[in-house]
Amino acid sequence: MNKTVLVSGGAGFIGSHVTVELIEAGYEVVVADNFSNCDRTCYEGVKKITGREDLPLEVMDFCDPEAVKALFGKYHIDAVIHFAAFKAVGESVEQPLKYYRNNLDSFLNVLEAAKEHGSFVLFSSSATVYGEPDSVPVTEATPRKPATSPYGNTKTICEDILRDSVKASGGRLKGILLRYFNPIGAHPSALIGELPRGVPNNLVPFITQTAIGKRECLSIFGNDYPTPDGTCLRDYIDIVDLAKAHVYAVNRMVDGRMKQACEVFNVGTGRPVSVLELVNAFEKVNGVKLNYKFAPRRAGDVTAIWADPSLAESEMGWKATRSVEQTLQAAWAWEKHLAGK
Ligand code: UD1
């Protein structure tokens, strides 16, 4: 019998790509989402890509403990990957209670059910837990820094909640924390991708929306950082590469290869790219001219962060394979698909 993975937030950007990779790796997947921050586009896209018209979908809110209990009663869940959370940094500063309530309650409900049913837990954490690191690249042993936003703090707190609960569970609960760097791009089919509501906060959706004419001009936040070209450095990781890391992590859990009951892995490329380099690469590889200007720094941005991803490779056999150019081509193909071009 194939193992079953529950993907909370499975209709979103990362969740939909992970669902595709899990299905292609032979897992049964249950997608659960409340569609609070996405529509059905990516869920429908996943069904097309995988040919799985019968892909189970549970429309539910993970903040509802009874609904979560019922879900774990309905399916035999071998592992749960938890994406269902709010993720807008700026909004979290304005509405911290909304973020703490949603992101913590939903994870607590998942953990209680996972413990009860002996399901493995994979939590989607973020490089945001490293804050502005003292040195780069960062390894998993790099000390975490106090979060600069309530959103970031929910990631740090959920990491701690998982660690503490695993420790106290006497082996009932085991989990992996994946710390993502900057996920970008789209599936090569152009059937699923990032679909931000309103004005995008993140760089690549802003680039593609400017290129297609939905936005007038991209603002590059800060060109006076102490970096080679003055713009921030990040580790942009292709969404399909990132999705595959989840398959490696789930394999490791269900095949009994974990070395500790709670493990943590960076999911990045190890390759720093500046904002300006990314913009130039987008223009070059897609043959489009981008209207952009330099603007003041954005509050809360770190100067430079990129991963040392070697632990994920030595322990799980995973590493990123796609070039920035391939990823930016996929992002552009997705934006054109959305525009019907
Ligand atoms: C943010 C979050 C991170 C989250 C990630 C993906 C923090 C500190 N960062 O990362 O936790 O996982 O989003 O949702 O919490 N930029 C521009 N113009 C724009 C948009 C961005 O110049 O219009 C620049 C930013 O200044 C930054 C880079 O592009 O240097 C990347 O920004 P963004 O895509 O928003 O990701 P992060 O802030 O790195």
Side-chain angles (χ1 to χ4, degrees):
M1 259 266 292
N2 291 350
K3 303 268 188 201
T4 299
V5 182
L6 167 63
V7 182
S8 85
F13 173 46
I14 302 181
S16 59
H17 288 82
V18 168
T19 299
V20 167
E21 297 306 317
L22 286 168
I23 292 172
E24 288 181 352
Y27 286 99
E28 293 300 321
V29 177
V30 176
V31 172
D33 211 298
N34 67 354
F35 294 100
S36 69
N37 195 30
C38 64
D39 61 19
R40 292 195 173 231
T41 306
C42 288
Y43 172 69
E44 295 302 328
V46 170
K47 290 201 292 188
K48 261 198 206 129
I49 294 167
T50 59
R52 286 291 305 270
E53 268 310 311
D54 58 346
L55 177 64
L57 169 67
E58 298 286 337
V59 180
M60 55 164 290
D61 186 345
F62 278 80
C63 289
D64 176 352
E66 295 310 318
V68 177
K69 270 185 210 150
L71 182 68
F72 276 77
K74 181 170 172 185
Y75 300 94
H76 176 84
I77 308 288
D78 295 286
V80 50
I81 305 183
H82 185 60
F83 294 114
F86 294 147
K87 58 166 191 178
V89 175
E91 186 187 52
S92 80
V93 175
E94 284 154 24
Q95 300 182 62
L97 290 177
K98 174 177 166 180
Y99 273 68
Y100 287 118
R101 171 66 75 194
N102 184 68
N103 293 7
L104 301 185
D105 265 0
S106 59
F107 192 47
L108 292 170
N109 290 336
V110 163
L111 283 179
E112 278 169 358
K115 187 178 156 204
E116 172 82 24
H117 293 269
S119 320
F120 293 99
V121 176
L122 197 164
F123 178 68
S124 57
S125 190
S126 165
T128 195
V129 302
Y130 296 116
E132 176 89 63
D134 295 331
S135 64
V136 275
V138 292
T139 73
E140 293 77 357
T142 298
R144 297 182 314 178
K145 293 260 182 89
T148 53
S149 72
Y151 155 78
N153 205 22
T154 65
K155 293 295 180 194
T156 306
I157 295 170
C158 285
E159 286 199 350
D160 291 343
I161 292 174
L162 180 62
R163 266 209 199 88
D164 290 346
S165 343
V166 162
K167 202 167 153 194
S169 75
R172 287 275 318 149
L173 196 60
K174 288 185 178 169
I176 291 183
L177 301 164
L178 294 183
R179 291 180 179 152
Y180 313 145
F181 284 69
N182 288 57
I184 62 165
H187 194 265
S189 65
L191 290 170
I192 56 175
E194 207 167 354
L195 251 184
R197 285 196 168 156
V199 183
N201 294 309
N202 297 118
L203 179 59
V204 168
F206 210 106
I207 289 177
T208 56
Q209 290 195 7
T210 305
I212 207 94
K214 267 171 96 175
R215 310 276 156 214
E216 216 165 281
C217 182
L218 167 77
S219 291
I220 295 183
F221 299 135
N223 61 346
D224 58 350
Y225 283 99
T227 59
D229 65 19
T231 66
C232 293
L233 295 170
R234 293 288 183 277
D235 185 335
Y236 296 95
I237 165 95
D238 184 277
I239 187 66
V240 177
D241 276 334
L242 177 116
K244 287 183 195 293
H246 295 72
V247 177
Y248 283 74
V250 171
N251 288 345
R252 182 176 175 89
M253 296 194 290
V254 301
D255 295 346
R257 285 187 276 111
M258 291 175 75
K259 291 187 180 159
Q260 289 164 14
C262 184
E263 296 183 323
V264 48
F265 297 104
N266 284 340
V267 182
T269 66
R271 170 188 66 200
V273 174
S274 78
V275 176
L276 205 50
E277 282 173 327
L278 199 80
V279 166
N280 291 337
F282 181 86
E283 290 187 319
K284 191 164 171 216
V285 73
N286 293 315
V288 290
K289 198 84 201 94
L290 204 64
N291 192 20
Y292 70 84
K293 62 171 192 233
F294 292 110
R297 293 181 179 193
R298 181 173 71 175
D301 276 342
V302 305
T303 303
I305 183 160
W306 66 93
D308 175 342
S310 55
L311 189 67
E313 184 173 5
S314 62
E315 282 297 316
M316 298 201 294
W318 172 87
K319 72 171 183 193
T321 59
R322 278 160 212 256
S323 66
V324 166
E325 286 73 20
Q326 283 173 305
T327 306
L328 292 172
Q329 271 174 329
W332 182 227
W334 164 244
E335 190 67 60
K336 285 193 291 186
H337 167 81
L338 287 176
K341 290 184 183 170

